[in-house]
Amino acid sequence: MPKSAAKAEADARYNKKAYQQIAFIIRRDAAVNADMIKAHAAKMGESVNGFLTRAVMEAIERDNAES
């Protein structure tokens, strides 16, 4: 069943209030590219967003431990 316009607008308002977005831009020909990231996330059984969040948190924890 398609989403009504009112539901789509309500979802957009909630998402704008509840979430933040950060652009993550990588080159297609880089050693680490989008296809590699997607494949690794799938292999680990997580979404790309979940994988990137975990990777950032692990880097922050590691950086803070070095301080």
XYZ file of all heavy atoms in Angstrom:
513
model
N 0.850 -1.175 0.000
C 0.000 0.000 0.000
C 0.895 1.237 0.000
O 1.767 1.370 0.851
C -0.909 -0.028 1.233
C -1.772 1.185 1.383
S -2.766 1.127 2.878
C -4.336 0.804 2.166
N 0.700 2.156 -0.929
C 1.526 3.362 -1.001
C 1.294 4.280 0.200
O 0.218 4.306 0.791
C 1.097 4.038 -2.292
C -0.076 3.293 -2.804
C -0.240 2.054 -2.020
N 2.343 5.005 0.512
C 2.286 5.936 1.636
C 1.543 7.207 1.212
O 1.778 7.729 0.124
C 3.725 6.294 2.023
C 3.878 6.859 3.401
C 5.274 7.345 3.716
C 6.376 6.344 3.602
N 7.632 6.843 4.170
N 0.663 7.710 2.060
C -0.067 8.936 1.731
C 0.877 10.131 1.822
O 1.941 10.066 2.448
C -1.237 9.136 2.685
O -0.759 9.471 3.982
N 0.487 11.212 1.202
C 1.301 12.426 1.233
C 1.457 12.930 2.661
O 2.541 13.373 3.055
C 0.663 13.502 0.355
N 0.408 12.848 3.463
C 0.472 13.301 4.856
C 1.459 12.449 5.651
O 2.236 12.976 6.456
C -0.913 13.247 5.486
N 1.453 11.134 5.421
C 2.371 10.241 6.122
C 3.815 10.531 5.706
O 4.724 10.568 6.544
C 2.010 8.781 5.820
C 2.995 7.757 6.326
C 3.008 7.642 7.826
C 3.865 6.451 8.232
N 4.540 6.642 9.486
N 4.038 10.760 4.421
C 5.379 11.067 3.931
C 5.888 12.373 4.543
O 7.053 12.464 4.950
C 5.379 11.158 2.412
N 5.027 13.372 4.634
C 5.414 14.650 5.240
C 5.705 14.488 6.728
O 6.670 15.050 7.243
C 4.321 15.692 5.025
C 4.202 16.153 3.592
C 3.039 17.103 3.385
O 2.624 17.773 4.354
O 2.543 17.162 2.246
N 4.882 13.718 7.430
C 5.105 13.477 8.858
C 6.420 12.735 9.068
O 7.191 13.067 9.980
C 3.938 12.686 9.450
N 6.700 11.737 8.236
C 7.965 11.004 8.327
C 9.149 11.936 8.094
O 10.156 11.856 8.799
C 8.005 9.852 7.318
C 7.083 8.706 7.689
O 6.569 8.685 8.841
O 6.880 7.822 6.832
N 9.046 12.809 7.096
C 10.136 13.740 6.782
C 10.381 14.702 7.952
O 11.535 14.981 8.298
C 9.821 14.517 5.505
N 9.311 15.201 8.563
C 9.463 16.097 9.722
C 10.141 15.375 10.877
O 11.048 15.920 11.518
C 8.100 16.638 10.169
C 7.585 17.787 9.339
C 6.413 18.506 10.014
N 5.375 17.603 10.514
C 4.353 17.160 9.803
N 4.211 17.514 8.552
N 3.447 16.358 10.349
N 9.725 14.143 11.147
C 10.323 13.367 12.230
C 11.800 13.104 11.940
O 12.653 13.284 12.817
C 9.597 12.036 12.429
C 10.295 11.165 13.443
C 10.140 11.409 14.800
C 11.142 10.135 13.054
C 10.809 10.635 15.746
C 11.807 9.362 13.985
C 11.634 9.619 15.331
O 12.301 8.863 16.262
N 12.111 12.666 10.734
C 13.499 12.362 10.385
C 14.384 13.596 10.505
O 15.516 13.504 10.983
C 13.584 11.775 8.980
C 13.034 10.370 8.908
O 12.933 9.677 9.918
N 12.661 9.940 7.717
N 13.874 14.750 10.100
C 14.658 15.987 10.202
C 14.938 16.331 11.663
O 16.017 16.808 12.004
C 13.915 17.129 9.518
C 14.703 18.405 9.465
C 13.999 19.485 8.676
C 14.867 20.724 8.634
N 14.253 21.797 7.872
N 13.965 16.069 12.541
C 14.114 16.362 13.968
C 14.995 15.337 14.668
O 15.790 15.676 15.548
C 12.722 16.408 14.615
C 12.727 16.699 16.099
C 11.326 16.830 16.660
C 10.604 15.501 16.607
N 9.316 15.493 17.287
N 14.902 14.070 14.295
C 15.530 12.990 15.049
C 16.919 12.589 14.554
O 17.697 12.023 15.318
C 14.622 11.761 15.026
N 17.235 12.859 13.296
C 18.477 12.347 12.730
C 19.337 13.468 12.171
O 18.846 14.522 11.797
C 18.190 11.351 11.596
C 17.423 10.145 12.043
C 16.064 10.013 11.774
C 18.038 9.128 12.754
C 15.350 8.906 12.182
C 17.332 8.017 13.184
C 16.000 7.916 12.891
O 15.292 6.819 13.310
N 20.645 13.186 12.104
C 21.590 14.077 11.435
C 22.222 13.304 10.296
O 22.384 12.085 10.388
C 22.696 14.530 12.384
C 22.217 15.432 13.489
C 23.365 15.824 14.407
O 24.085 14.959 14.882
N 23.517 17.096 14.645
N 22.600 14.010 9.256
C 23.263 13.366 8.134
C 24.630 13.986 7.934
O 24.803 15.195 8.112
C 22.461 13.528 6.843
C 21.145 12.785 6.852
C 20.422 12.925 5.523
O 20.832 13.657 4.633
N 19.338 12.196 5.385
N 25.590 13.144 7.580
C 26.930 13.599 7.247
C 27.254 13.006 5.890
O 27.136 11.788 5.686
C 27.968 13.116 8.290
C 27.650 13.703 9.652
C 29.375 13.461 7.847
C 28.549 13.186 10.759
N 27.677 13.842 4.963
C 28.045 13.340 3.634
C 29.363 12.581 3.721
O 30.303 12.990 4.403
C 28.183 14.504 2.664
N 29.420 11.461 3.048
C 30.612 10.621 3.007
C 30.898 10.369 1.534
O 30.206 9.602 0.880
C 30.335 9.311 3.770
C 31.514 8.394 3.858
C 32.589 8.706 4.665
C 31.541 7.216 3.148
C 33.670 7.858 4.777
C 32.613 6.352 3.248
C 33.688 6.673 4.059
N 31.891 11.055 1.012
C 32.167 10.998 -0.419
C 33.513 10.318 -0.637
O 34.512 10.703 -0.035
C 32.179 12.413 -1.030
C 30.825 13.076 -0.790
C 32.517 12.355 -2.509
C 30.797 14.544 -1.136
N 33.510 9.292 -1.482
C 34.754 8.594 -1.801
C 34.852 8.414 -3.313
O 33.832 8.353 -4.011
C 34.846 7.226 -1.098
C 33.616 6.384 -1.369
C 35.022 7.399 0.385
C 33.688 4.998 -0.789
N 36.060 8.330 -3.800
C 36.285 8.168 -5.236
C 35.948 6.748 -5.673
O 36.179 5.787 -4.945
C 37.738 8.473 -5.583
C 38.095 9.931 -5.417
C 39.516 10.193 -5.869
N 39.777 9.739 -7.237
C 39.661 10.508 -8.314
N 39.280 11.758 -8.196
N 39.914 10.020 -9.512
N 35.427 6.634 -6.867
C 35.097 5.323 -7.432
C 36.348 4.484 -7.645
O 36.301 3.265 -7.532
C 34.377 5.477 -8.765
C 32.996 6.069 -8.638
C 32.359 6.182 -10.021
N 31.122 6.937 -9.946
C 29.954 6.403 -9.661
N 29.856 5.127 -9.421
N 28.866 7.145 -9.603
N 37.477 5.135 -7.965
C 38.701 4.402 -8.267
C 39.665 4.324 -7.076
O 40.819 3.951 -7.236
C 39.406 5.023 -9.471
C 39.798 6.481 -9.252
O 39.400 7.071 -8.232
O 40.508 7.039 -10.113
N 39.184 4.654 -5.879
C 40.033 4.612 -4.688
C 40.210 3.166 -4.225
O 39.438 2.271 -4.588
C 39.399 5.437 -3.560
N 41.236 2.939 -3.407
C 41.492 1.601 -2.877
C 40.295 1.105 -2.068
O 39.953 -0.075 -2.107
C 42.742 1.613 -2.011
N 39.676 2.004 -1.322
C 38.434 1.690 -0.608
C 37.330 2.464 -1.305
O 37.341 3.694 -1.306
C 38.517 2.089 0.883
C 37.190 1.872 1.569
C 39.618 1.315 1.578
N 36.393 1.760 -1.920
C 35.317 2.426 -2.640
C 33.964 1.939 -2.133
O 33.895 1.070 -1.260
C 35.465 2.220 -4.150
C 35.468 0.763 -4.540
O 34.715 -0.033 -3.992
N 36.319 0.401 -5.484
N 32.906 2.484 -2.680
C 31.556 2.171 -2.199
C 31.236 0.687 -2.345
O 30.609 0.098 -1.459
C 30.523 3.018 -2.930
N 31.657 0.087 -3.458
C 31.356 -1.335 -3.654
C 32.033 -2.181 -2.584
O 31.441 -3.130 -2.066
C 31.814 -1.793 -5.043
C 30.994 -1.157 -6.161
O 29.825 -0.797 -5.903
O 31.518 -1.022 -7.277
N 33.264 -1.842 -2.231
C 33.991 -2.586 -1.202
C 33.306 -2.425 0.158
O 33.164 -3.386 0.906
C 35.438 -2.103 -1.122
C 36.257 -2.787 -0.056
S 37.880 -2.055 0.089
C 38.747 -3.008 -1.138
N 32.885 -1.207 0.466
C 32.224 -0.938 1.743
C 30.897 -1.698 1.823
O 30.599 -2.337 2.834
C 32.010 0.582 1.944
C 33.366 1.268 2.115
C 31.094 0.859 3.131
C 33.309 2.782 2.059
N 30.111 -1.644 0.744
C 28.827 -2.355 0.732
C 29.028 -3.855 0.885
O 28.297 -4.519 1.625
C 28.075 -2.058 -0.565
C 27.535 -0.655 -0.649
C 26.905 -0.419 -2.009
C 26.491 1.024 -2.178
N 25.944 1.268 -3.537
N 30.018 -4.403 0.184
C 30.273 -5.836 0.259
C 30.718 -6.242 1.659
O 30.277 -7.270 2.187
C 31.327 -6.237 -0.774
N 31.572 -5.438 2.272
C 32.043 -5.773 3.617
C 30.894 -5.698 4.623
O 30.761 -6.584 5.474
C 33.175 -4.842 4.050
C 33.721 -5.193 5.388
N 34.548 -6.270 5.599
C 33.524 -4.636 6.610
C 34.849 -6.351 6.876
N 34.229 -5.371 7.510
N 30.079 -4.664 4.527
C 28.940 -4.542 5.439
C 28.014 -5.747 5.294
O 27.575 -6.319 6.289
C 28.187 -3.241 5.178
N 27.742 -6.141 4.061
C 26.870 -7.300 3.833
C 27.499 -8.571 4.399
O 26.812 -9.387 5.020
C 26.602 -7.465 2.336
N 28.801 -8.730 4.208
C 29.497 -9.907 4.731
C 29.402 -9.969 6.251
O 29.299 -11.041 6.839
C 30.969 -9.869 4.301
C 31.772 -11.079 4.710
C 33.163 -11.016 4.121
C 34.113 -10.542 5.197
N 35.515 -10.561 4.788
N 29.414 -8.797 6.902
C 29.329 -8.730 8.357
C 27.883 -8.765 8.849
O 27.629 -8.727 10.042
C 30.009 -7.460 8.867
C 31.487 -7.345 8.499
S 32.458 -8.756 9.038
C 32.416 -8.532 10.786
N 26.931 -8.790 7.920
C 25.517 -8.870 8.291
C 24.948 -7.567 8.812
O 24.034 -7.575 9.633
N 25.486 -6.455 8.352
C 24.970 -5.160 8.812
C 24.739 -4.232 7.629
O 25.230 -4.477 6.527
C 25.917 -4.525 9.843
C 27.349 -4.420 9.462
C 28.266 -4.030 10.629
O 27.796 -3.524 11.654
O 29.458 -4.228 10.493
N 23.991 -3.173 7.879
C 23.756 -2.181 6.843
C 25.013 -1.336 6.662
O 25.907 -1.329 7.521
C 22.587 -1.272 7.238
O 22.948 -0.495 8.377
N 25.067 -0.617 5.559
C 26.204 0.288 5.332
C 26.234 1.334 6.439
O 27.298 1.633 6.996
C 26.125 0.947 3.937
C 27.170 2.032 3.781
C 26.287 -0.102 2.850
N 25.081 1.884 6.793
C 25.029 2.879 7.856
C 25.506 2.288 9.184
O 26.276 2.916 9.916
C 23.607 3.432 8.009
C 23.558 4.598 8.955
O 24.171 5.627 8.695
N 22.846 4.452 10.061
N 25.074 1.075 9.488
C 25.497 0.413 10.713
C 26.991 0.167 10.726
O 27.669 0.378 11.742
N 27.535 -0.285 9.590
C 28.971 -0.520 9.503
C 29.755 0.772 9.681
O 30.733 0.822 10.437
C 29.335 -1.176 8.166
C 30.805 -1.139 7.889
C 31.689 -1.864 8.668
C 31.315 -0.357 6.877
C 33.059 -1.823 8.437
C 32.670 -0.305 6.631
C 33.550 -1.039 7.416
N 29.349 1.850 8.986
C 30.070 3.119 9.096
C 29.991 3.680 10.521
O 30.986 4.193 11.045
C 29.538 4.137 8.089
C 29.830 3.810 6.627
C 29.139 4.803 5.711
C 31.316 3.762 6.352
N 28.842 3.540 11.152
C 28.701 3.994 12.536
C 29.640 3.216 13.452
O 30.339 3.795 14.292
C 27.240 3.843 13.006
O 26.401 4.641 12.162
C 27.072 4.279 14.447
N 29.681 1.894 13.270
C 30.575 1.064 14.088
C 32.035 1.425 13.842
O 32.828 1.552 14.777
C 30.332 -0.420 13.784
C 31.204 -1.352 14.597
C 30.808 -2.809 14.403
N 30.933 -3.288 13.035
C 32.084 -3.741 12.491
N 33.199 -3.746 13.194
N 32.092 -4.181 11.244
N 32.404 1.628 12.583
C 33.786 1.955 12.247
C 34.198 3.291 12.870
O 35.302 3.418 13.417
C 33.963 2.001 10.734
N 33.317 4.272 12.817
C 33.621 5.581 13.409
C 33.747 5.457 14.926
O 34.684 5.998 15.526
C 32.545 6.624 13.019
C 32.679 7.893 13.842
C 32.633 6.935 11.531
N 32.819 4.737 15.561
C 32.883 4.577 17.015
C 34.161 3.860 17.443
O 34.804 4.249 18.422
C 31.656 3.819 17.534
C 30.373 4.630 17.478
S 30.462 6.211 18.370
C 30.836 5.652 20.009
N 34.559 2.823 16.708
C 35.788 2.115 17.034
C 37.009 3.017 16.871
O 37.927 2.981 17.696
C 35.934 0.861 16.169
C 34.959 -0.231 16.566
C 35.027 -1.450 15.655
O 35.890 -1.494 14.744
O 34.213 -2.368 15.860
N 37.019 3.852 15.837
C 38.139 4.777 15.634
C 38.194 5.817 16.751
O 39.276 6.134 17.257
C 38.014 5.465 14.273
N 37.046 6.339 17.163
C 37.005 7.320 18.249
C 37.508 6.687 19.551
O 38.320 7.287 20.275
C 35.580 7.898 18.417
C 35.234 8.796 17.232
C 35.450 8.658 19.735
C 33.784 9.227 17.190
N 37.032 5.485 19.866
C 37.486 4.786 21.074
C 38.992 4.540 21.044
O 39.696 4.755 22.026
C 36.732 3.476 21.251
C 35.276 3.661 21.631
C 34.485 2.362 21.583
O 35.061 1.295 21.298
O 33.263 2.423 21.820
N 39.507 4.101 19.901
C 40.941 3.832 19.756
C 41.744 5.130 19.884
O 42.756 5.172 20.574
C 41.196 3.175 18.393
C 42.603 2.722 18.158
C 42.763 1.941 16.869
N 42.247 2.641 15.698
C 41.150 2.276 15.008
N 40.444 1.233 15.373
N 40.768 2.960 13.948
N 41.273 6.201 19.262
C 41.970 7.495 19.348
C 41.972 8.025 20.786
O 42.974 8.555 21.240
C 41.339 8.522 18.413
C 41.548 8.199 16.943
O 42.380 7.305 16.641
O 40.882 8.810 16.101
N 40.848 7.872 21.485
C 40.760 8.350 22.856
C 41.643 7.522 23.792
O 42.179 8.044 24.775
C 39.322 8.340 23.363
C 38.511 9.461 22.736
O 39.044 10.453 22.261
N 37.195 9.301 22.717
N 41.796 6.242 23.514
C 42.636 5.388 24.342
C 44.121 5.754 24.183
O 44.908 5.591 25.108
C 42.435 3.923 23.980
N 44.488 6.253 23.006
C 45.868 6.648 22.750
C 46.231 7.961 23.431
O 47.388 8.249 23.627
C 46.106 6.773 21.246
C 46.026 5.454 20.511
C 46.106 5.614 19.004
O 46.248 6.757 18.527
O 46.014 4.594 18.311
N 45.241 8.750 23.766
C 45.484 10.086 24.351
C 45.994 10.001 25.771
O 45.776 9.168 26.537
C 44.211 10.914 24.341
O 43.783 11.104 23.015
